[in-house]
Amino acid sequence: KQEVTQIPAALSVPEGENLVLNCSFTDSAIYNLQWFRQDPGKGLTSLLLIQSSQREQTSGRLNASLDKSSGRSTLYIAASQPGDSATYLCAVIMIKAAGNKLTFGGGTRVLVKP
Amino acid sequence: DGGITQSPKYLFRKEGQNVTLSCEQNLNHDAMYWYRQDPGQGLRLIYYSQIVNDFQKGDIAEGYSVSREKKESFPLTVTSAQKNPTAFYLCASSVQGAFEAFFGQGTRLTVV
């Protein structure tokens, strides 16, 4: 059974510092990996999708890498801002998984201090 | 605007009542999903549907029911058999191919 872990569970950094968020998964037979942002009491906003054949994806200040062989993905957020404060979740879809279900990590809660 | 709409945003249920959460999407996605989110437990899959008139149980389907009569709609009913329904419920849909998932804004259900 696929298990997805995000460590640390919470992170606090001063404004301007780069953020590094980790996601690990136990079964490397993934179809893709997706990073989401969640603000308190809100739904999930898709940030980046990395397909299994890709090594990384970039969008503005965000960069996500994927290493299937080691079961790891890392989300980098450059020059953090207070508006980046949120919970960040990663999720994987398994190859040939019935229904293409996402398996989520527990999330990393980020606080960027002004 | 294209997207996923969940309603209501807040819902209160009395003991023994059934309640239905609405999820509508205009993204023309075939697949739709319901997740439950509890503090400290992440998201858990309740039900999913890959096509109209078909749906499958997820990891925590007991006490819930769904229907998929139209492509754009996937309502979730929380029945009286669900003993601990207080949670945040999220609906999602995904497109075939890349299977990128998109989420609604959620419904917070509270038992009173």
Side-chain angles (χ1 to χ4, degrees):
Chain A
K1 179 183 176 185
Q2 175 74 276
E3 292 184 2
V4 181
T5 305
Q6 292 184 249
I7 295 174
L11 185 60
S12 179
V13 299
E15 182 177 3
E17 192 166 298
N18 295 334
L19 282 164
V20 180
L21 307 179
N22 299 303
C23 174
S24 61
F25 44 94
T26 54
D27 189 337
S28 62
I30 65 169
Y31 188 82
N32 67 27
L33 184 144
Q34 196 168 355
W35 281 95
F36 296 90
R37 168 186 172 135
Q38 186 177 30
D39 293 293
K42 303 292 186 181
L44 277 64
T45 299
S46 179
L47 297 175
L48 290 167
L49 174 76
I50 309 178
Q51 301 204 35
S52 61
S53 59
Q54 297 174 319
R55 299 281 296 182
E56 66 176 336
Q57 278 285 357
T58 298
S59 175
R61 294 185 294 114
L62 277 59
N63 174 277
S65 65
L66 174 64
D67 185 341
K68 275 180 50 179
S69 61
S70 65
R72 294 175 187 271
S73 176
T74 303
L75 177 66
Y76 301 90
I77 303 177
S80 62
Q81 303 168 359
D84 294 328
S85 298
T87 297
Y88 293 82
L89 298 111
C90 68
V92 299
I93 289 181
M94 300 299 295
I95 293 175
K96 297 181 181 178
N100 306 304
K101 300 172 288 183
L102 287 90
T103 301
F104 281 87
T108 295
R109 191 171 65 253
V110 171
L111 176 63
V112 180
K113 300 177 188 175
Chain B
D1 284 0
I4 302 175
T5 302
Q6 291 187 241
S7 62
K9 188 173 181 180
Y10 300 98
L11 186 57
F12 298 90
R13 191 193 95 166
K14 294 181 180 179
E15 295 282 350
Q17 264 188 342
N18 292 355
V19 291
T20 297
L21 285 60
S22 171
C23 179
E24 304 275 334
Q25 55 100 357
N26 60 5
L27 300 168
N28 200 33
H29 289 171
D30 286 310
M32 297 187 73
Y33 311 83
W34 275 105
Y35 288 87
R36 170 178 172 145
Q37 187 175 34
D38 296 279
Q41 293 201 41
L43 277 77
R44 294 180 290 168
L45 181 66
I46 305 172
Y47 268 98
Y48 63 98
S49 168
Q50 291 182 275
I51 197 169
V52 174
N53 293 323
D54 184 62
F55 48 83
Q56 304 296 328
K57 293 182 179 179
D59 301 318
I60 55 166
E62 185 175 351
Y64 300 97
S65 66
V66 293
S67 63
R68 186 85 188 277
E69 298 177 1
K70 298 186 295 182
K71 186 176 185 177
E72 59 270 23
S73 179
F74 192 40
L76 173 73
T77 297
V78 184
T79 74
S80 57
Q82 172 49 240
K83 298 307 179 188
N84 185 24
T86 295
F88 191 51
Y89 290 86
L90 288 158
C91 178
S93 68
S94 70
V95 61
Q96 295 291 339
F99 301 115
E100 184 173 6
F102 297 89
F103 281 77
Q105 288 300 299
T107 293
R108 184 164 299 280
L109 174 63
T110 304
V111 174
V112 296

